[in-house]
């Protein structure tokens, strides 16, 4: 407490005493014990009230003991079960839970991981993907400012994600891997990787690349085969040795019919091979009859042009050609969609020709766009022509109706350059993205679509979308989100089909280890999204003929159905609405593929290296006896005594208010009792 505050308290005591004496003692003829009691009560009341006004602050010190944390991360993937280590993991977890010394020294937290990290000690060993790097990324955030060694119980086999040997370096704590496997190397043949395009074209041949790996010391020959519907359509003899233990096989297959074609690639197992599951792998390709051709028209160089080409051509169904307006005039019937990038007066003849042919188009306006020219050549939207430009960010319109859009965190994207001023439309239009300035919507479109005279158009009022694709990668470590968004926009613009009130978004085939999400949208008669409808899918397994009805769940601006865990097979389906009796049918295929069953051994080398880099120590699950004693005696993991210093103002002390109320009540009662009131 400060000296100044102490001085005020003394002054308050003197004032309170003076007021009490003046009220009950000064000029009082009857100086009885009752008067003394009244004086004391009034002094306490005055002094307490003055203390509340002064509001002195007091320090409160609290000592606490903080134990180190022990994060136990358990591999919950199917590869643990496949390697026959699940029972050992369960026994070891029980040993940790029952060890009183370990419980006394650490705050033990249990996590399981497969595709993602979860706070749980319940293991099922059915996860179809393993991302070990996510373990270190997440735990480094959870235990950022505390002592927290990691007990990593895993076989070290990762199916996707960043290299966890390097990700583990961000967690500045000791890591103790418990290796679910051994160092025995078994003779094994496997298909390490199979590369094939998602789409092929009718009456063409599509390329396939297979990487086959041999683990063994003797030289041998085997047969690589590809079958379709049980019929062998390709075969090749492959020779391996200890030094020549990897082969890349390149070949082509014919595309004879439109639709999804599935195949099975196999490297014939050798005698007494332990794991034969990794000798085969299924793959599929969708054969299409034609390719969507898109022209990008521009008379300037800009990074956006390269991003448009990369993003759109990630779908093999589409091809991009870049050209100037003059060249495009002679090829106007060769393309289904024209992207006009920052048009100016040199686009005049091209736009007139596009209007005559009623061609779909996508206009991108920016700082080099001649807005007066655009106002002249079209009557659908008119710019307020100014010489000023502003940086605007994007906000997704969740009510956009023409097709399903996923929110890829547009609000996090950097601003793009757009003209300053209003844009007025003369026909109805749909806004995909709105302009925002400093997080506030200005009720102006940034990206919009509309339909007129049987053609579809879109306008993006801004340049530098290359920044968006880069930010999308920073957000999700993948370009897929941005490319899918742009792909759906291009698919909508390149088609002249009449808009449906019920739309279903699905793939032609899925790998068995991926998330299978079917999405649907339903619109009312005015093509406004309607979230009141009940939508369900009637799903039929073409192999077993089993039929089941599954409900969709409303999520944001679409209905979604999760089909994870469905058996590999061909499926036909009908999506229908209950109230308005609309339906849409289709079919897809789920391939038999379980990457977790491709492993024969634990990744001992990498787990050893993770332990070494973090100054931890690795143990095999068969020789675990020394791990718990090692953790108990390690001096790096000590409890810390903390002194928490709190500053408490007197006004927060409720008992002082109670004292004032009690004093005033008692004083009133005594005065009433003695007839002084």
């Amino acid at each position: 407490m400060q000296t100044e505050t102490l001085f005020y308290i003394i002054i308050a005591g003197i004032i309170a005493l003076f007021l009490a004496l003046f009220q009950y003692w000064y000029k009082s003829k009857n100086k009885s014990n009752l008067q003394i009691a009244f004086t004391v009560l009034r002094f306490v009341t005055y002094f307490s009230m003055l203390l509340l006004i002064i509001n002195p602050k007091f320090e409160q010190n609290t000592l606490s003991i903080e134990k180190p944390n022990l994060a136990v991360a358990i591999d919950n993937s199917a590869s643990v079960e496949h390697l026959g280590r699940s029972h050992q993991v369960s026994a070891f977890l029980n040993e940790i839970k029952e060890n009183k010394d370990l419980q006394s020294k650490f705050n033990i937290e249990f996590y399981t991981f497969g595709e993602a990290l979860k706070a749980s000690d319940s293991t099922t060993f059915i996860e179809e993907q393993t991302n070990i790097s996510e373990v270190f990324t997440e735990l480094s955030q959870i235990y950022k400012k505390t002592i927290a060694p990691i007990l990593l119980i895993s076989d070290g086999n990762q199916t996707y994600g960043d290299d966890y040997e390097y990700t583990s370096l961000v967690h500045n704590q000791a890591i103790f891997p418990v290796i679910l496997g051994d160092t025995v190397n078994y003779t094994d043949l496997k298909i390490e990787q199979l590369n094939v395009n998602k789409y092929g074209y009718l009456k063409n041949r599509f390329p396939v690349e297979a990487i086959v790996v041999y683990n063994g010391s003797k030289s041998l020959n085997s047969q690589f085969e590809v079958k379709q519907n049980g019929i062998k359509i390709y075969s090749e003899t492959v020779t391996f040795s200890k030094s020549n233990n990897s082969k890349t096989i390149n070949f082509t297959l014919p595309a004879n019919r439109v639709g999804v074609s599935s195949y099975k690639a196999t490297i014939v197992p050798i005698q007494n091979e332990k794991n034969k599951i990794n000798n085969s792998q299924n793959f599929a390709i969708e054969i299409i009859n034609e390719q969507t051709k898109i022209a990008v028209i521009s008379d300037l160089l800009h990074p956006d042009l390269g991003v448009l080409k990369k993003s759109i051509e990630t779908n093999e169904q589409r091809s991009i050609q870049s050209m100037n307006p003059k060249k495009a005039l002679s090829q106007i019937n060769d393309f289904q969609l024209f992207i006009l990038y920052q048009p100016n007066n040199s686009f005049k003849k091209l736009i007139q020709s596009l209007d005559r042919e009623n061609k779909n188009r996508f206009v991108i306006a920016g700082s080099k766009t001649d807005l007066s020219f655009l106002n002249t050549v079209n009557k659908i939207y008119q710019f307020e022509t100014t010489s000023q430009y502003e940086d605007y960010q994007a906000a997704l319109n969740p009510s956009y109706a023409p097709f399903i859009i996923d929110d890829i965190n547009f609000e996090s994207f950097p601003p793009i350059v757009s003209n300053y001023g209003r844009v007025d439309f003369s026909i109805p239009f749909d806004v995909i993205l709105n302009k925002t300035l400093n997080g506030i919507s200005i009720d102006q479109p940034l990206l919009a679509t509309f339909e007129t005279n049987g053609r579809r158009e879109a306008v993006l009022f801004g340049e530098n979308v290359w920044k968006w694709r880069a930010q999308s990668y920073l957000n999700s470590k993948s370009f897929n989100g941005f490319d899918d968004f742009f792909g759906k926009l291009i698919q909508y613009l390149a088609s002249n089909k009449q808009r449906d009130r019920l739309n279903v978004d699905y793939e032609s085939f899925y790998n068995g280890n991926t998330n299978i999400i079917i999405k649907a949208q339903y619109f009312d008669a005015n093509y406004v999204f309607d979230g009141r409808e009940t939508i369900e899918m009637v799903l039929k397994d073409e192999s077993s003929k089993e039929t089941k009805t599954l409900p969709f769940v409303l999520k944001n601006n679409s209905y979604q159905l999760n089909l994870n865990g469905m058996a590999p097979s061909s499926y036909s389906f009908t999506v229908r609405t209950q109230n308005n009796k609309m339906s849409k049918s289709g079919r897809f295929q789920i391939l038999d593929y379980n990457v977790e069953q491709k492993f024969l051994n634990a990744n001992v080398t990498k787990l050893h290296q993770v332990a070494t880099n973090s100054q931890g120590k690795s143990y095999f699950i068969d020789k675990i006896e020394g791990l718990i004693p090692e953790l108990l005696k390690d001096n790096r993991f000590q409890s810390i005594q903390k002194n928490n210093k709190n500053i408490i103002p007197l006004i927060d002390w409720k008992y002082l208010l109670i004292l004032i109320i009690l004093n005033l009540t008692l004083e009133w009662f005594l005065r009433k009792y003695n007839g002084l009131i």
Side-chain angles (χ1 to χ4, degrees):
M1 188 183 298
Q2 296 181 353
T3 306
E4 183 181 1
T5 304
L6 186 61
F7 174 74
Y8 288 146
I9 292 173
I10 294 171
I11 296 298
I14 294 171
I15 293 173
L17 182 60
F18 174 79
L19 291 174
L21 290 173
F22 179 80
Q23 189 166 4
Y24 281 109
W25 201 261
Y26 180 66
K27 293 184 179 179
S28 176
K29 297 178 180 179
N30 182 19
K31 295 182 173 54
S32 63
N33 291 335
L34 188 61
Q35 293 297 105
I36 296 174
F38 285 149
T39 304
V40 171
L41 289 173
R42 187 54 62 94
F43 166 76
V44 172
T45 300
Y46 284 144
F47 185 61
S48 299
M49 294 175 67
L50 289 171
L51 281 180
L52 287 176
I53 295 172
I54 298 170
N55 193 24
K57 296 177 176 59
F58 302 92
E59 291 184 1
Q60 183 183 53
N61 293 313
T62 305
L63 294 177
S64 62
I65 303 297
E66 185 177 285
K67 294 193 293 185
N69 298 293
L70 178 63
V72 182
I74 310 146
D75 191 336
N76 199 31
S77 63
S79 62
V80 175
E81 183 74 42
H82 181 63
L83 293 175
R85 302 290 177 172
S86 58
H87 295 297
Q88 290 175 300
V89 172
S90 300
F92 180 53
L93 289 178
N94 288 332
E95 184 180 351
I96 293 174
K97 294 174 185 177
E98 294 171 2
N99 192 294
K100 290 184 170 49
D101 293 333
L102 208 58
Q103 297 282 352
S104 176
K105 181 170 182 177
F106 294 98
N107 290 319
I108 303 177
E109 299 288 343
F110 292 91
Y111 300 89
T112 60
F113 65 91
E115 187 173 351
L117 184 71
K118 302 174 184 177
S120 172
D121 62 352
S122 176
T123 54
T124 57
F125 306 111
I126 60 173
E127 296 269 358
E128 296 180 344
Q129 295 275 19
T130 309
N131 187 355
I132 302 177
S133 65
E134 184 74 8
V135 175
F136 301 118
T137 303
E138 292 289 332
L139 293 183
S140 65
Q141 295 299 317
I142 296 172
Y143 301 109
K144 193 172 185 179
K145 297 181 180 180
T146 60
I147 300 172
I150 294 179
L151 198 58
L152 181 69
I153 306 173
S154 175
D155 57 17
N157 293 314
Q158 178 169 280
T159 58
Y160 82 104
D162 298 330
D163 189 337
Y164 67 86
E165 182 180 335
Y166 299 101
T167 311
S168 64
L169 298 176
V170 305
H171 186 77
N172 298 319
Q173 309 276 2
I175 300 170
F176 295 84
V178 176
I179 304 171
L180 305 179
D182 51 43
T183 57
V184 177
N185 288 321
Y186 300 96
T187 301
D188 185 53
L189 273 174
K190 66 177 178 179
I191 298 177
E192 181 73 22
Q193 191 169 330
L194 200 59
N195 299 319
V196 63
N197 292 332
K198 191 173 182 179
Y199 300 98
Y201 301 101
L202 186 64
K203 298 180 181 179
N204 274 331
R205 298 182 70 87
F206 60 90
V208 182
E209 181 182 69
I211 301 174
V212 186
V213 176
Y214 167 63
N215 183 22
S217 56
K218 297 180 180 180
S219 298
L220 58 84
N221 294 329
S222 185
Q223 200 74 12
F224 178 80
E225 302 173 347
V226 177
K227 293 182 178 181
Q228 184 181 27
N229 299 324
I231 301 172
K232 188 187 299 184
I233 59 173
Y234 181 82
S235 179
E236 181 177 334
T237 301
V238 189
T239 302
F240 296 99
S241 65
K242 184 176 181 179
S243 58
N244 189 15
N245 60 358
S246 178
K247 294 286 185 181
T248 301
I249 304 170
N250 292 289
F251 56 97
T252 61
L253 296 176
N256 296 324
R257 65 178 183 86
V258 174
V260 177
S261 297
S262 57
Y263 305 85
K264 184 175 184 178
T266 303
I267 182 73
V268 177
I270 58 180
Q271 189 175 7
N272 299 324
E273 189 169 347
K274 184 178 180 181
N275 186 4
K276 296 182 181 180
I277 295 176
N278 58 14
N279 290 67
S280 299
Q281 189 167 325
N282 295 299
F283 66 96
I285 186 169
E286 184 176 1
I287 306 302
I288 56 179
N289 199 10
E290 61 181 12
Q291 190 178 45
T292 302
K293 294 183 179 180
I294 302 162
V296 177
I297 318 299
S298 177
D299 64 355
L300 57 88
L301 296 176
H302 197 282
D304 283 352
L305 301 175
V307 162
L308 290 172
K309 183 174 178 63
K310 285 184 178 180
S311 182
I312 295 171
E313 287 189 343
T314 54
N315 187 328
E316 295 93 341
Q317 287 181 288
R318 307 182 183 107
S319 67
I320 288 277
Q321 287 190 34
S322 300
M323 58 190 71
N324 57 39
K326 185 176 180 181
K327 184 178 179 181
L329 268 173
S330 61
Q331 303 181 37
I332 198 166
N333 292 317
D334 295 341
F335 301 96
Q336 286 79 48
L337 176 64
F338 292 81
I339 300 178
L340 310 181
Y341 188 79
Q342 304 217 41
N344 52 37
N345 195 58
S346 65
F347 285 68
K348 184 175 182 179
K349 291 183 179 179
L350 174 62
I351 292 177
Q352 290 173 345
S353 182
L354 292 176
D355 288 341
R356 284 195 303 269
E357 298 294 332
N358 208 32
K359 292 287 187 179
N360 295 353
R361 69 200 71 173
F362 179 15
V363 176
I364 301 177
S367 60
K368 302 294 190 298
T369 303
D370 188 338
L371 299 182
S372 299
F373 165 74
L374 272 183
N375 288 341
T376 302
V377 296
N378 93 90
K379 302 302 179 185
I380 297 173
Y381 50 89
Q382 295 289 300
F383 292 89
E384 181 183 345
T385 54
T386 66
S387 59
Q388 295 179 315
Y389 294 90
E390 185 65 79
D391 290 338
Y392 294 101
Q393 285 187 282
L396 178 66
N397 173 23
S399 301
Y400 181 76
F403 56 89
I404 298 173
I405 297 177
D406 294 321
D407 189 355
I408 54 174
N409 199 11
F410 289 99
E411 287 78 4
S412 70
F413 288 4
I416 62 175
V417 177
S418 180
N419 64 294
Y420 182 81
R422 290 187 57 83
V423 178
D424 295 314
F425 283 81
S426 61
I427 65 171
F429 64 100
D430 297 291
V431 177
I432 301 178
L433 300 173
N434 285 299
K435 288 181 178 179
T436 66
L437 195 59
N438 297 323
I440 300 173
S441 176
I442 62 170
D443 195 28
Q444 280 288 293
L446 186 60
L447 174 60
T449 62
F450 53 89
E451 298 183 25
T452 177
N453 299 325
R455 73 170 186 257
R456 292 177 172 177
E457 295 188 33
V459 188
L460 174 62
F461 302 101
E463 64 175 293
N464 294 334
V465 292
W466 65 269
K467 295 181 179 180
W468 285 4
R469 192 169 190 258
Q471 185 63 47
S472 176
Y473 181 84
L474 293 175
N475 290 348
S476 61
K477 307 301 181 187
S478 170
F479 293 115
N480 292 342
F482 179 85
D483 292 345
D484 288 346
F485 163 72
F486 229 80
K488 289 180 179 180
L489 176 62
I490 296 301
Q491 181 180 1
Y492 166 78
L493 293 174
S495 171
N496 286 320
K497 292 181 182 178
Q498 187 175 1
R499 186 189 299 185
D500 295 323
R501 289 178 59 187
L502 177 63
N503 295 325
V504 182
D505 186 14
Y506 68 100
E507 300 288 343
S508 298
F509 62 89
Y510 300 89
N511 284 323
N513 64 317
T514 58
N515 287 328
I516 303 175
I517 306 293
I518 310 294
K519 297 182 179 180
Q521 277 187 322
Y522 172 74
F523 306 102
D524 62 20
N526 295 318
Y527 291 98
V528 176
F529 177 75
D530 188 349
R532 300 168 297 175
E533 184 59 85
T534 299
I535 301 180
E536 60 187 15
M537 172 185 282
V538 180
L539 186 65
K540 180 181 180 181
D541 188 331
E542 296 294 338
S543 299
S544 65
K545 306 303 179 182
E546 179 186 358
T547 301
K548 58 178 70 175
T549 302
L550 304 170
F552 279 78
V553 176
L554 180 62
K555 187 176 181 181
N556 298 329
N557 64 329
S558 68
Y559 294 86
Q560 297 187 12
L561 176 61
N562 190 325
L563 294 180
N564 291 347
M566 297 293 293
S569 184
S570 293
Y571 293 90
S572 60
F573 68 86
T574 299
V575 174
R576 64 193 184 190
T577 63
Q578 285 190 356
N579 297 331
N580 288 281
K581 306 303 179 184
M582 293 184 179
S583 65
K584 183 160 287 190
S585 299
R587 60 193 313 116
F588 60 86
Q589 187 170 353
I590 300 178
L591 302 179
D592 185 8
Y593 181 72
N594 190 339
V595 68
E596 292 291 337
Q597 294 182 357
K598 304 297 181 182
F599 301 111
L600 188 63
N601 295 95
N603 196 334
V604 177
T605 303
K606 184 162 286 190
L607 290 174
H608 278 324
Q609 192 60 48
V610 167
T612 301
N613 292 344
S614 65
Q615 297 182 350
K617 189 175 180 180
S618 58
Y619 294 83
F620 287 96
I621 191 68
D622 299 322
K623 301 176 181 178
I624 205 70
E625 298 83 9
L627 174 56
I628 292 178
E630 177 74 23
L631 291 172
L632 293 174
K633 71 179 183 181
D634 198 319
N635 292 326
R636 291 176 295 176
F637 316 135
Q638 297 291 338
S639 297
I640 299 173
Q641 180 175 303
K642 286 191 172 182
N643 181 14
N644 296 317
K645 183 179 179 181
N646 294 324
I647 305 298
I648 303 174
L650 185 65
I651 200 170
D652 291 342
W653 197 52
K654 59 184 179 182
Y655 298 108
L656 189 59
L657 180 60
I658 294 173
L659 179 63
I660 294 173
I661 295 172
L662 287 176
N663 270 281
L664 291 173
T665 303
L666 182 59
E667 184 181 344
W668 177 87
F669 178 78
L670 291 175
R671 287 170 63 86
K672 184 74 173 177
Y673 182 79
N674 289 277
L676 299 177
I677 296 179

